[in-house]
Amino acid sequence: AIYEPEVEQWRATVVGALQEYGMEEEEKNFMRILRCESRGDPNAVNPESGASGLMQHIPYYWPDRAIASGFQGASPFDPVANIYASVWLLDVGGWVHWECK
């Protein structure tokens, strides 16, 4: 599927991250979830949970995810860090971390 420009602007980064993890087959699902979670807004915040960024990471878990994905000290609002942390999380835990299914 092709999404609105706000979502599509992140496709190349998503594809690159997925390729690094050998998960190219997840592109379709990843883009769909990204659209569902944030509509492509890297500054999105869920007012109830505080989940932040493109793929809506919960603040409590973000620092460890950022470190594990090679982005220590990065903000969840950094779109590249958010995408790579999400791909790392997908690699170790599957899609269970996202509710947009």
Side-chain angles (χ1 to χ4, degrees), residues 1-100:
I2 301 296
Y3 299 107
E4 52 273 269
E6 295 82 8
V7 174
E8 285 298 321
Q9 68 180 324
W10 307 114
R11 189 176 293 272
T13 304
V14 167
V15 168
L18 289 169
Q19 285 175 343
E20 283 191 34
Y21 282 82
M23 301 177 69
E24 298 88 347
E25 72 282 356
E26 296 293 350
E27 178 183 352
K28 180 179 176 182
N29 284 333
F30 197 102
M31 293 301 295
R32 182 176 51 80
I33 299 295
L34 188 150
R35 181 179 186 269
C36 178
E37 291 288 359
S38 67
R39 299 278 189 227
D41 179 3
N43 297 309
V45 177
N46 181 310
E48 293 177 20
S49 68
S52 302
L54 289 173
M55 295 292 283
Q56 294 290 283
H57 288 270
I58 302 291
Y60 176 82
Y61 298 108
W62 174 255
D64 289 338
R65 292 173 182 178
I67 290 168
S69 60
F71 287 87
Q72 181 172 354
S75 165
F77 300 106
D78 174 332
V80 174
N82 195 288
I83 288 168
Y84 274 81
S86 299
V87 172
W88 171 83
L89 187 60
L90 174 62
D91 188 43
V92 299
W95 288 113
V96 298
H97 300 282
W98 291 274
E99 294 180 12
C100 293

